Amino acid sequence: MELSNSTKNSVEPASVHVGKNAYLAVDHQWDSELFATAGAQVDIWNHNRSEPINSFQWGSDSVISVRFNPGEPNLLATSANDRSIMLYDLRMVSPVRKMIMMTKTNSIAWNAMEPINFTAANEDGNCYSYDARKLDEAKCVHRDHVSAVMDIDYSPTGREFVTGSYDRTVRLFYYNSGHSREIYHTKRMQRVFCVKFSGDGSYVISGSDDTNLRLWKAKASEQLGVVLPRERKKHEYHAAIKKRYMHLPEVKRIERHRHLPKPIYKAAALMRAMSDARKRKEERRKAHSAPGSVTTQPLRRQRIIKEVE
Amino acid sequence: MPETKRKHRDETNHRRGHSKPNKNARKKKKTGPRLPSSLQKELDRLNPTTSIEIDQDIDSADGDAAERELLPQDFYEYEEQHAEEESKKNKRYDPGSVDQLQYDLPIERSDESEDEIIQSDDDNVDDDDDGMERTGDAADGDSSEEGDGRHTRMLQGITGMPSEAFEGKKKRKMKDDVIPELYPESEYNPSRDVVDGDGQISIDDLLNPLQDNPGFGKLRKRIQQIENNSKAIHAPLRTADQAKVERKAAYEISKKEVTKWQQIIQRNREAPTLLFDENIDLGFSTVGAIASEFEPRTEFERKMAALVSDDKVMEAYKKDAYDAWQVSVEEEKDRQSRIAKMRSLLFRHEMKAKRIKKIKSKTYHRLLKKDRLKTEYSNIQMDPEAAKEFVMKQERLRAEERMTLRHKNQNLWAKRILTRGLNSQDEGTRAAIADQLQRHAELTRKMHSMKDSSSSSDDSSDGDDEDAGSDQEMGSKVVGKAIEKTMKVIQDDHETPKSGLLSLPFMRRGLEKSKKAAVEEANLALQEYKDSKKKLENSVGSEGPEATSISGRRVFGASKTQISDAGDKVKSDYNYGSSDSEDDLRASKNGNIETQGSNVLQKDVNTDAVLIQEDTDNHQESVFKDFNEIVKNPGPKTTYEVSLFVSDTWKKARNRDEKGTNVKKSAMPSGPVRQDIKDTEKEVEEDSDTDSEGQMVDGILTSGSKLSYELPSQEELIRQAFAGDDVEDEFEKDKMEILNVENPEPEKPVLLPGWGQWTHVQKKKGLPSWMLKEHENARKKREEAIKKRKDAQLKNVIISEKLDKKAEKLHTKALPFPFTSKEAFEQSMRVPIGPESNPATAIGPLNRPEVVKRPGVIIKPIQFEEVNPHEKAEQRRGDKHRSKKNKGSGGRSMKKTTA
């Protein structure tokens, strides 16, 4: 059978690695030959071998995401269907720690500039930033999405990350802020299932259920193309001015104002009302019971069930 | 070592042992498919190796750690595991499997833990030597073994309990007196003593039969060593637990590994800026760099390259170039200094021009203009060229004026004012109109004067008072001529062209219009001439030297409308009592030259009458004359108007006394005017229409009479200066107003029938008490609020307490995040960051964003570098600052986090 032109031109894979189970996630080490696949188990592969060089299994549920630590290439984080987040160390050739949360973690991203920190995109609409050394408490809870966060990726600068959500929006967060700094949405974009930062940290790519990939600017108001030094200085000055007067209510309002799709706006309002009510109730309960008998966990700890050794 | 030891022991066992094969046989009897013992024996005899193979099987199968931990404790435990063995046993008849086993053996052995394998190993080794012997042994040992088996069977039969029960008993016992050994001796058949509970087999028992062998001494020594060092081996952990422990350890290690980043992370987080755009080679950036890479390929290019790279040619070229550009040092220096001087001059000039351009002061510009005019004037005086130029310019101006009639009430503004009526305008507007007209008259009239009298002395425009007698005569002549000419022009103008473009209806209309304007103008000029002529005559006739001082206020250039407007008003008042002249004045308003002329004549007549009359109080006459002068020459200033008004009132009073007498002075001696100003002042005050007017008159008069006036004391002066306005009162009023705005007075309760109470009750009792109470409360509250004000005690100050809601937006209610003290925050806000208030070198660091990166350049993940943890943070920060400075000045020293 003769191959048509188009098939001749089609890209051939450099190598094919065959495994026993379906794969749910894959990630490659930065600047090296190893890559990891996740599915029924976590396999570590080398480019030059047809068999995985390591396989890890801890628990019986399938692993849904895997991510290498870019700064510390031997560290590996996965999340599994059993609501767990697991850490692996390839130097020790073993899983290292497991932490179970109340809801499933859909994806994990390591901070490229801070190899001890990673952020987990959770099914409950929040993202949780953890210190890999202290898994009993999140460093920061990033809220704003009104539905499950499906994917997350850190900017190579380590100062912000992008999340894609089931609520049909893409959001950008600072690595240490509780709320997003930017939201991207279009009428036609459906559920977002994957997001990525570009290598230079100035673009964001999102893939959604409407079968489209979308390329966004990481800074929406940034000027594309060549920027002359004088122009750049002017931009910098304006940015500095804005930053300086950010605390003024009017400036803050203008800077933070974003147009939201109606469903998201309403859902956010609803969620806020619910959480307020919960808080109120808790406060009252506390006020009406013996001191110390009712304790509340901070949100950073609330969603963590346990840490497994 | 232990391996060899064990080997030895095994050897001894084999030498000695008749038991092993028997044991195997018995085992099979127990748990395998129940073959009769005799049959089993037969099988063993037929195929002695199989037993060994089975042993090996067992060994390999028992590699499980879980079993391993049980094995050393109990000999009999092993027997329970025979299920597997039996499965193998079934396979035994499969020749393939046997082959495979035999083949696999060495490989498997390498993987298995050693203690069990050695056994099989030995078996293998000894197979050949002992094979025959063993079969014999097995036959010999049968009796005892069988007896053993029989015993258990017997027990089973009696009690009806399974054999395990008995074994369990034994097991328990064995557990008690187990001697921990390196080597689990599970294979060995327990002796009858053990089964009976008599004792146990010691190593010595086993060794004894070996005494004759050659290697015995060595063996014994080893065994002694082992005995001395014997220790108990603990059971290995369960796999799960083991993995857990492993993970825990691994976590600790990786935690420690990862912690090395702490310092770097902290440093980066504290850094004001992260730079990601360093050490980037974007390839050739300059044309020169690209050109240097050029390689000739074609024939032509090669030829060119050969020429270019030819040394001789290059040398010649360079030399030429050098010669052409060679300049002496002095010349160059000279040139440079010249250029520098030039530049500095230009720069200064530019700066000065900029500064002057920015000045907004009207006074300054007025002075500047005056200065400019002065220099121009002096230039004209000094330089004939300049004079010529000036004349040309003036000529041009006049021509323009004639053409455009710009100042002839032509523009929209003036037209509008006129349609609305000049009388209804305020004084400023009237003055402006008058001014404009005056300017127009100046510009147009000068033409004649310049033409007629070639002398450049501007007799009219500035109202300069240098009218000598002869000049006046000359002037009257000139004026007469002018009148004649104008009349002629007016008559001439009536001819209109009958054909051509100008005969077209719209052109004709336009012409007529312009003609009308010209006639009007001519009329005006005529009247003016007549006026001036009359004045000239007057001055020639009577005034003499005194006239010069008075004529200081006289303006020649007063145009007709000016006179008819301003003058009309005055005259109507002027002729208050005499109604006969009223008509004439009206007529003059119409612009009729004749009536105007008659009016003037009438005035003259009136003057004569006054002359004849010889009044007693001369001084008053003179003052009046003075006023009249003013009336006659209304300037652009408002003060004139005011003074006119005053004079009118004054005249009214006078006219009452001298009915029907119109006054015109000019012939009166005006010497005593100044001396008697005080008197007039008094009189004016007596008349006193309004304060301000009186004062105005006062001001004018005093300013005119400085010579004879005694200087009042300072206090008096101030009092006089502020006599009219009570500043303190005003201020208090202002303050009260502000108070009322900021703390409004409560509304008085209004009686609305039926509101608050029943109507009839209201009628009887008046306002309901609660209303009064409320009002009272509100009043009290207000008073308190006023008392609490910051400016309550400060008499001369108003401090507004009004809050500006718009300004409120620009204030913070709380300190923004990183700041902890108000001072620090305010300090930080006070430092400007803009390019206007900072040098160019400082702006970069001040405005640098948190992350500096370049689009299109891939940022690599962080790489480890040693950070000295003992280094103080401040030092580091200082370093950073320094390096940043370097960067700002062009150096690229800073390397933060990127590779």
Side-chain angles (χ1 to χ4, degrees):
Chain A
M1 199 169 84
E2 250 183 57
L3 292 168
S4 69
N5 241 357
S6 62
T7 48
K8 261 182 193 169
N9 288 340
S10 68
V11 185
E12 290 283 319
S15 66
V16 179
H17 302 263
V18 183
K20 287 174 211 152
N21 307 96
Y23 295 123
L24 294 175
V26 64
D27 193 37
H28 200 287
Q29 240 179 8
W30 183 275
D31 264 355
S32 119
E33 287 194 323
L34 296 185
F35 67 96
T37 59
Q41 62 194 10
V42 178
D43 289 332
I44 311 294
W45 305 74
N46 192 315
H47 283 182
N48 306 322
R49 305 211 181 166
S50 57
E51 294 281 315
I53 57 170
N54 274 320
S55 295
F56 302 111
Q57 193 166 19
W58 185 2
S60 52
D61 272 300
S62 55
V63 179
I64 52 172
S65 80
V66 60
R67 214 52 97 82
F68 271 107
N69 188 340
E72 188 76 31
N74 288 315
L75 266 183
L76 189 71
T78 65
S79 69
N81 261 336
D82 60 354
R83 300 165 296 152
S84 67
I85 294 172
M86 273 178 277
L87 297 179
Y88 300 84
D89 196 331
L90 296 186
R91 285 167 299 201
M92 260 64 85
V93 202
S94 85
V96 165
R97 188 54 59 114
K98 183 182 197 170
M99 189 249 303
I100 297 175
M101 296 182 70
M102 282 168 119
T103 40
K104 192 168 82 176
T105 295
N106 285 321
S107 184
I108 284 179
W110 288 92
N111 190 336
M113 285 296 142
E114 301 178 355
I116 57 174
N117 294 333
F118 66 88
T119 306
N122 207 284
E123 192 83 359
D124 63 359
N126 297 343
C127 293
Y128 297 86
S129 283
Y130 287 101
D131 185 336
R133 301 167 300 169
K134 296 159 198 158
L135 292 174
D136 57 337
E137 181 183 270
K139 287 278 133 202
C140 186
V141 183
H142 312 272
R143 311 154 75 181
D144 262 355
H145 277 300
V146 293
S147 187
V149 188
M150 300 310 290
D151 199 10
I152 183 170
D153 192 34
Y154 257 96
S155 161
T157 61
R159 290 301 177 103
E160 57 194 14
F161 60 84
V162 60
T163 58
S165 168
Y166 205 67
D167 62 11
R168 303 190 184 95
T169 61
V170 173
R171 277 182 192 267
L172 285 159
F173 291 84
Y174 286 118
Y175 75 108
N176 55 0
S177 78
H179 289 275
S180 63
R181 75 160 171 88
E182 187 64 86
I183 178 171
Y184 291 145
H185 57 85
T186 69
K187 232 176 202 176
R188 297 181 179 213
M189 187 163 74
Q190 295 300 311
R191 321 281 187 198
V192 184
F193 284 106
C194 58
V195 284
K196 280 276 179 290
F197 245 104
S198 70
D200 61 348
S202 45
Y203 294 96
V204 163
I205 302 148
S206 73
S208 43
D209 220 6
D210 54 343
T211 70
N212 285 332
L213 282 181
R214 284 184 168 78
L215 186 69
W216 312 86
K217 281 192 274 184
K219 218 171 128 203
S221 58
E222 196 176 34
Q223 182 179 332
L224 292 183
V226 179
V227 179
L228 297 174
R230 209 172 135 192
E231 209 173 2
R232 201 195 65 236
K233 265 176 207 157
K234 183 130 197 170
H235 289 322
E236 281 176 5
Y237 173 55
H238 287 164
I241 287 271
K242 252 192 270 175
K243 198 179 140 202
R244 167 174 250 208
Y245 295 104
M246 194 51 126
H247 59 272
L248 296 180
E250 275 297 274
V251 178
K252 203 197 287 175
R253 187 184 63 77
I254 292 166
E255 178 71 16
R256 284 174 53 198
H257 180 80
R258 294 284 181 282
H259 174 256
L260 284 181
K262 203 171 190 180
I264 290 175
Y265 183 78
K266 283 189 165 172
L270 184 72
M271 283 169 84
R272 204 176 307 124
M274 281 159 70
S275 78
D276 282 351
R278 226 174 288 135
K279 206 172 161 193
R280 209 163 45 231
K281 181 161 191 177
E282 213 148 78
E283 268 168 20
R284 286 183 184 158
R285 189 173 283 157
K286 221 184 241 178
H288 288 90
S289 45
S293 62
V294 177
T295 53
T296 42
Q297 291 277 328
L299 187 61
R300 285 172 293 134
R301 228 174 260 172
Q302 247 171 39
R303 311 285 301 175
I304 298 170
I305 292 177
K306 66 173 175 183
E307 208 184 338
V308 182
E309 283 179 340
Chain B
M1 274 302 276
E3 199 179 324
T4 49
K5 261 181 243 166
R6 265 172 245 142
K7 252 184 198 167
H8 281 292
R9 225 166 48 175
D10 292 340
E11 265 174 68
T12 55
N13 286 347
H14 279 297
R15 301 262 158 75
R16 193 189 149 205
H18 314 274
S19 53
K20 202 179 112 190
N22 295 340
K23 179 211 82 182
N24 281 334
R26 199 199 60 198
K27 268 184 233 158
K28 273 160 223 157
K29 265 176 234 155
K30 270 182 186 167
T31 53
R34 302 271 171 209
L35 289 172
S37 61
S38 54
L39 224 165
Q40 191 69 42
K41 241 189 283 174
E42 277 302 313
L43 271 173
D44 282 346
R45 212 176 298 131
L46 277 171
N47 193 4
T49 49
T50 46
S51 67
I52 297 155
E53 302 291 276
I54 289 159
D55 271 353
Q56 286 156 2
D57 264 1
I58 293 160
D59 295 340
S60 62
D62 288 353
D64 255 1
E67 276 184 44
R68 241 183 291 146
E69 64 186 277
L70 293 174
L71 280 174
Q73 293 179 1
D74 191 0
F75 295 1
Y76 293 95
E77 190 65 29
Y78 190 71
E79 290 174 353
E80 290 177 2
Q81 303 298 326
H82 281 300
E84 276 179 73
E85 184 202 355
E86 277 157 15
S87 71
K88 294 279 155 57
K89 194 174 73 190
N90 290 339
K91 270 188 206 168
R92 187 180 48 185
Y93 293 102
D94 183 0
S97 76
V98 172
D99 284 350
Q100 206 183 341
L101 280 171
Q102 275 173 341
Y103 174 75
D104 281 345
L105 234 140
I107 299 163
E108 272 182 24
R109 200 181 59 199
S110 69
D111 291 337
E112 293 300 332
S113 50
E114 286 159 6
D115 38 0
E116 272 126 345
I117 289 144
I118 276 107
Q119 178 66 51
S120 57
D121 197 11
D122 281 339
D123 288 344
N124 256 350
V125 171
D126 297 341
D127 230 3
D128 335 5
D129 346 346
D130 300 332
M132 293 309 292
E133 199 188 335
R134 219 193 285 172
T135 46
D137 287 345
D140 293 342
D142 261 352
S143 57
S144 63
E145 294 296 294
E146 263 173 21
D148 205 346
R150 247 180 261 135
H151 177 73
T152 42
R153 251 177 282 147
M154 184 197 68
L155 278 173
Q156 235 175 320
I158 293 162
T159 57
M161 283 160 72
S163 59
E164 276 84 350
F166 311 109
E167 282 165 11
K169 211 188 274 170
K170 285 171 217 158
K171 209 191 281 173
R172 234 172 285 132
K173 202 169 192 178
M174 284 307 294
K175 251 179 202 164
D176 293 340
D177 35 10
V178 73
I179 297 162
E181 261 180 304
L182 268 178
Y183 179 67
E185 300 195 62
S186 56
E187 266 90 350
Y188 295 103
N189 218 356
S191 64
R192 196 167 286 275
D193 307 337
V194 174
V195 174
D196 295 340
D198 291 340
Q200 56 197 131
I201 302 165
S202 69
I203 291 177
D204 289 337
D205 294 339
L206 299 172
L207 278 179
N208 283 339
L210 291 175
Q211 268 176 356
D212 304 336
N213 287 25
F216 178 72
K218 219 172 163 187
L219 186 68
R220 206 186 50 195
K221 231 184 218 168
R222 286 218 175 115
I223 284 168
Q224 268 175 355
Q225 274 176 2
I226 288 165
E227 278 174 351
N228 290 340
N229 299 333
S230 66
K231 266 182 215 162
I233 290 177
H234 293 291
L237 284 169
R238 271 169 44 232
T239 337
D241 292 338
Q242 213 169 356
K244 193 174 172 181
V245 171
E246 253 170 48
R247 284 195 300 259
K248 209 171 170 183
Y251 186 49
E252 289 304 321
I253 292 167
S254 65
K255 242 181 176 175
K256 209 182 270 173
E257 277 288 311
V258 151
T259 309
K260 73 181 178 191
W261 295 99
Q262 185 86 44
Q263 298 284 339
I264 296 172
I265 289 170
Q266 194 178 349
R267 194 188 64 183
N268 285 344
R269 281 191 175 182
E270 280 169 2
T273 305
L274 282 184
L275 303 170
F276 291 112
D277 61 345
E278 289 175 62
N279 303 329
I280 294 156
D281 186 16
L282 290 175
F284 303 118
S285 54
T286 61
V287 178
I290 295 166
S292 70
E293 288 290 299
F294 175 74
E295 272 180 28
R297 275 167 297 177
T298 64
E299 191 67 23
F300 175 70
E301 278 175 357
R302 242 170 265 146
K303 270 184 194 169
M304 288 295 290
L307 275 179
V308 165
S309 56
D310 192 0
D311 284 345
K312 277 181 190 171
V313 173
M314 285 306 289
E315 215 167 275
Y317 168 74
K318 271 178 188 164
K319 209 179 163 216
D320 274 4
Y322 182 71
D323 285 345
W325 288 102
Q326 210 173 21
V327 191
S328 76
V329 178
E330 283 87 49
E331 264 177 54
E332 181 59 22
K333 267 187 183 171
D334 211 32
R335 197 180 69 89
Q336 274 181 356
S337 68
R338 215 172 339 114
I339 288 172
K341 207 181 273 174
M342 216 45 198
R343 278 202 188 127
S344 79
L345 266 176
L346 275 174
F347 177 69
R348 275 192 205 160
H349 185 72
E350 197 183 337
M351 293 311 288
K352 200 179 171 188
K354 247 186 203 170
R355 186 175 59 82
I356 285 170
K357 201 187 165 211
K358 255 202 275 181
I359 294 173
K360 282 182 183 163
S361 160
K362 276 184 181 168
T363 326
Y364 173 78
H365 281 291
R366 209 182 60 230
L367 289 174
L368 198 70
K369 198 177 169 190
K370 208 172 164 190
D371 214 31
R372 207 174 55 223
L373 285 174
K374 211 179 196 176
T375 52
E376 225 166 61
Y377 182 71
S378 67
N379 269 351
I380 290 161
Q381 299 262 318
M382 305 289 288
D383 188 9
E385 279 291 305
K388 212 176 173 186
E389 228 168 67
F390 176 74
V391 170
M392 289 292 282
K393 202 176 157 195
Q394 289 295 318
E395 221 27 67
R396 191 187 147 80
L397 270 177
R398 265 172 236 127
E400 269 177 5
E401 178 65 28
R402 265 187 301 136
M403 279 192 286
T404 58
L405 298 176
R406 197 170 149 214
H407 294 102
K408 183 81 207 322
N409 297 345
Q410 291 285 317
N411 55 3
L412 268 180
W413 170 75
K415 275 179 188 163
R416 203 165 130 256
I417 296 275
L418 287 179
T419 51
R420 285 185 177 186
L422 203 58
N423 288 344
S424 59
Q425 301 301 325
D426 65 340
E427 286 151 6
T429 320
R430 258 181 290 173
I433 288 270
D435 193 24
Q436 200 184 17
L437 285 170
Q438 193 177 2
R439 186 164 164 68
H440 173 75
E442 264 169 34
L443 280 170
T444 44
R445 194 169 55 77
K446 253 185 205 162
M447 177 174 61
H448 309 299
S449 66
M450 288 295 272
K451 269 179 193 163
D452 293 341
S453 57
S454 58
S455 69
S456 64
S457 65
D458 39 3
D459 47 356
S460 54
S461 65
D462 290 327
D464 271 343
D465 41 358
E466 19 185 338
D467 300 36
S470 60
D471 272 1
Q472 283 172 350
E473 271 175 40
M474 269 267 288
S476 62
K477 266 183 206 164
V478 165
V479 170
K481 265 185 198 170
I483 293 168
E484 275 172 33
K485 274 188 180 173
T486 337
M487 292 299 279
K488 207 175 160 189
V489 166
I490 293 167
Q491 279 152 20
D492 285 354
D493 275 347
H494 289 288
E495 297 155 20
T496 49
K498 294 275 163 28
S499 65
L501 189 72
L502 294 176
S503 65
L504 289 170
F506 65 89
M507 287 300 282
R508 222 181 293 153
R509 246 179 283 141
L511 273 177
E512 265 166 33
K513 215 179 209 176
S514 61
K515 214 183 280 166
K516 224 186 243 171
V519 167
E520 218 169 279
E521 198 185 332
N523 287 343
L524 184 143
L526 259 181
Q527 205 218 327
E528 213 171 279
Y529 300 149
K530 279 171 185 168
D531 275 3
S532 55
K533 199 177 173 186
K534 180 200 71 190
K535 271 172 206 161
L536 279 170
E537 279 163 7
N538 283 344
S539 63
V540 168
S542 56
E543 281 201 13
E546 289 291 334
T548 54
S549 65
I550 297 160
S551 66
R553 288 178 186 271
R554 206 175 272 172
V555 180
F556 268 13
S559 59
K560 179 218 121 188
T561 41
Q562 204 174 333
I563 287 169
S564 61
D565 282 349
D568 269 355
K569 195 173 139 219
V570 171
K571 275 165 195 161
S572 59
D573 290 330
Y574 180 83
N575 300 315
Y576 190 75
S578 59
S579 56
D580 51 345
S581 63
E582 193 91 22
D583 293 338
D584 296 338
L585 288 166
R586 292 275 160 77
S588 79
K589 214 179 192 177
N590 294 336
N592 195 327
I593 315 157
E594 271 77 28
T595 45
Q596 189 73 27
S598 71
N599 194 16
V600 175
L601 284 173
Q602 197 184 11
K603 266 188 206 162
D604 288 346
V605 172
N606 288 345
T607 321
D608 293 343
V610 174
L611 273 169
I612 294 159
Q613 204 173 346
E614 285 290 336
D615 219 43
T616 43
D617 37 7
N618 286 338
H619 59 277
Q620 280 195 357
E621 276 279 2
S622 61
V623 170
F624 178 56
K625 179 217 76 182
D626 215 17
F627 285 151
N628 246 349
E629 285 293 314
I630 297 159
V631 172
K632 278 188 101 182
N633 312 309
K637 284 176 187 165
T638 51
T639 48
Y640 286 97
E641 303 274 330
V642 174
S643 59
L644 281 175
F645 189 55
V646 173
S647 67
D648 288 345
T649 58
W650 191 80
K651 265 176 265 163
K652 272 183 226 163
R654 251 193 81 78
N655 282 348
R656 251 174 270 143
D657 297 336
E658 323 163 26
K659 278 184 182 175
T661 31
N662 276 335
V663 201
K664 176 78 182 170
K665 51 8 9 178
S666 63
M668 292 310 296
S670 55
V673 172
R674 281 171 188 161
Q675 293 150 9
D676 298 322
I677 275 165
K678 274 186 183 173
D679 294 24
T680 50
E681 199 181 321
K682 271 178 209 161
E683 249 174 24
V684 166
E685 270 171 34
E686 277 165 18
D687 288 344
S688 69
D689 281 2
T690 58
D691 284 359
S692 60
E693 277 166 10
Q695 271 172 348
M696 287 297 251
V697 173
D698 198 23
I700 289 164
L701 291 174
T702 45
S703 69
S705 63
K706 257 175 196 168
L707 286 174
S708 59
Y709 193 64
E710 265 179 62
L711 271 176
S713 70
Q714 187 74 11
E715 269 182 34
E716 229 169 281
L717 261 180
I718 289 171
R719 210 182 305 130
Q720 273 181 8
F722 294 104
D725 36 26
D726 196 348
V727 184
E728 279 180 22
D729 256 7
E730 240 168 61
F731 179 79
E732 251 160 49
K733 223 188 274 172
D734 280 354
K735 193 169 178 178
M736 278 312 289
E737 248 171 52
I738 286 167
L739 277 182
N740 282 334
V741 169
E742 288 177 13
N743 308 77
E745 220 167 331
E747 276 180 43
K748 272 192 178 171
V750 190
L751 184 79
L752 274 177
W755 282 96
Q757 235 162 16
W758 298 112
T759 328
H760 64 277
V761 181
Q762 256 182 11
K763 261 181 201 165
K764 243 188 261 171
K765 294 187 178 173
L767 283 167
S769 61
W770 64 266
M771 266 188 191
L772 292 173
K773 211 180 188 180
E774 213 166 61
H775 177 68
E776 187 65 19
N777 279 346
R779 205 175 49 79
K780 268 182 194 166
K781 212 183 239 176
R782 176 174 179 266
E783 270 169 14
E784 267 171 34
I786 286 173
K787 256 185 216 166
K788 270 182 194 168
R789 282 176 65 95
K790 278 176 193 164
D791 55 359
Q793 305 298 325
L794 305 168
K795 205 180 159 192
N796 302 327
V797 181
I798 302 172
I799 301 174
S800 174
E801 289 187 341
K802 201 173 74 178
L803 277 178
D804 190 354
K805 277 184 185 169
K806 275 184 184 166
E808 199 75 341
K809 278 181 186 172
L810 302 174
H811 288 107
T812 48
K813 276 167 191 131
L815 275 176
F817 159 59
F819 296 101
T820 46
S821 80
K822 194 180 161 196
E823 283 73 32
F825 171 64
E826 274 169 1
Q827 189 68 33
S828 83
M829 293 304 282
R830 221 172 284 139
V831 179
I833 55 172
E836 290 89 1
S837 36
N838 283 303
T841 48
I843 297 166
L846 272 174
N847 295 343
R848 216 190 295 278
E850 278 178 1
V851 173
V852 177
K853 58 184 169 57
R854 209 180 285 177
V857 175
I858 288 178
I859 301 168
K860 286 180 182 156
I862 193 166
Q863 278 182 355
F864 186 68
E865 54 172 322
E866 278 300 334
V867 175
N868 187 4
H870 304 298
E871 191 184 0
K872 275 177 190 168
E874 274 180 30
Q875 270 182 339
R876 225 170 36 232
R877 222 165 282 156
D879 285 348
K880 234 171 250 176
H881 193 64
R882 220 177 302 138
S883 57
K884 198 157 284 165
K885 261 186 189 165
N886 289 341
K887 196 176 163 23
S889 59
R892 267 203 173 177
S893 62
M894 178 74 177
K895 156 85 185 67
K896 189 82 51 65
T897 56
T898 52

